[in-house]
Amino acid sequence: MKAGIILFPGTNRERDMALALARVTGSKPSIIWHGESELPAGTDLVVLPGGFSYGDYLRCGAMAAQSPIMRAIAAFAAKGGHVLGVCNGFQILIEAGLLPGALLKNASLRFLSMDCHLKVERTDTPYTNHFQPGAVFRSTMAHGDGNWFGTPETVAQLEAEGRVVLRYCTPEGAVTEAANRNGSVNNIAGICSPNRRILGLMPHPENQVDPLIDGTDGLPMFQSIAATFATA
Amino acid sequence: MKAYVTVMPKNGVLDPQGKAIGHALSGHGFAGIGEVRVGKVIELELAEIDPAKAKAAAEEMARKLLANMVIESFKVEVR
């Protein structure tokens, strides 16, 4: 498979993402500078990694969403392309209008750098097909603005269409207020587009792909990606 | 001329910063404080000299970039 990771000024998680993708898919992703106006020919998957693009000026992701490469990514997505946004990448996808809602400052006003547990709400997406239905996995959150918000109409639509892919939960899988550390509406940690090919999530599954470094709880997400493109 | 774009969180959008500031002000002994909300002002220097056109341009900028219309509203003042 051919994955491209977009690098903005202030992105800092591109190498972890590249290592995770290479480890599982066996092919090394290319790193694409945000000033490019086209994606490499034959790109299967675009990844917007975590970081602090443009120093989070104005709003997290707002500046990066205006970058030249984002026009190419919007066109790629419109043609059914696969796009994954993690943390700041999720914020950028939302600011670019590729996913709905907004990401507000965490309800506690604190930057949250800690483990979290995620409930997989659907396993028929290109990013979650290697999880068991109803699976719960441990991941890491590291963000100041991950409090997903949507108007009641947006929330109702997302829920009705089954586009909430991941929710914050307890280690046992209970979707509780205490497990919802950043204050997101309905414990939303990750949502997808109607065709399920665009996924945005705040936590960092790329942190957990190596048994020697914090375990392999995030591995199924990358195995899902590998499986999606093995048959493509 | 200059345009001042005031961006504020919409009603119904949680503003924890405002809440924390309100709390802190009460702690200082200021009484009778209702809701506190925090926004931002963006000052734009514009070459346009027609106030109506300058305002329209600044409003377009606010819709496109300066405000996130999902969670924020804005108003523009030109001087």
Side-chain angles (χ1 to χ4, degrees), chain A residues 58-176:
Chain A
L58 191 64
R59 295 177 304 274
C60 299
M63 295 292 144
Q66 313 295 322
S67 283
I69 197 67
M70 291 308 295
R71 279 192 286 277
I73 293 171
F76 174 75
K79 283 189 283 185
H82 290 73
V83 185
L84 171 66
V86 170
C87 198
N88 189 224
F90 185 17
Q91 295 166 335
I92 295 167
L93 287 178
I94 283 189
E95 281 287 343
L98 291 171
L99 287 173
L103 287 156
L104 307 176
K105 204 169 279 296
N106 294 340
S108 62
L109 287 177
R110 290 177 189 276
F111 187 98
L112 297 171
S113 177
M114 55 176 63
D115 277 4
C116 59
H117 285 82
L118 299 171
K119 185 169 187 189
V120 182
E121 292 284 13
R122 61 187 302 170
T123 54
D124 55 348
T125 82
Y127 309 96
T128 55
N129 57 61
H130 261 58
F131 287 101
Q132 295 299 315
V136 173
F137 71 104
R138 185 177 61 86
S139 190
T140 309
M141 58 161 79
H143 59 249
D145 298 66
N147 177 357
W148 188 88
F149 171 87
T151 60
E153 299 77 50
T154 303
V155 176
Q157 190 187 355
L158 280 179
E159 295 286 4
E161 293 173 0
R163 287 166 55 193
V164 178
V165 180
L166 300 165
R167 286 186 219 270
Y168 299 107
C169 66
T170 65
E172 295 75 36
V175 178
T176 64

Side-chain angles (χ1 to χ4, degrees), chain A residues 9 13 29 38 52-53 57 72 87 115 124 129 160 166 175 193 195 197 205 209 229:
Chain A
R13 297 306 309 279
E38 279 177 41
F52 299 86
S53 57
Y57 290 172
C87 198
D115 277 4
D124 55 348
N129 57 61
L166 300 165
V175 178
S193 57
N195 69 3
R197 292 183 174 190
V209 294
F229 293 103

Side-chain angles (χ1 to χ4, degrees), chain B residues 4 7 18 21 40 42-43 46 48 53-56 58-59 64-65 69-70 79:
Chain B
Y4 297 84
V7 179
I21 291 169
K40 59 191 129 193
I42 298 154
E43 183 185 304
L46 301 175
E48 181 59 61
K53 281 184 188 163
K55 188 170 185 219
E59 284 172 348
K64 280 235 168 90
L65 176 66
M69 301 305 290
V70 177
R79 276 179 234 162

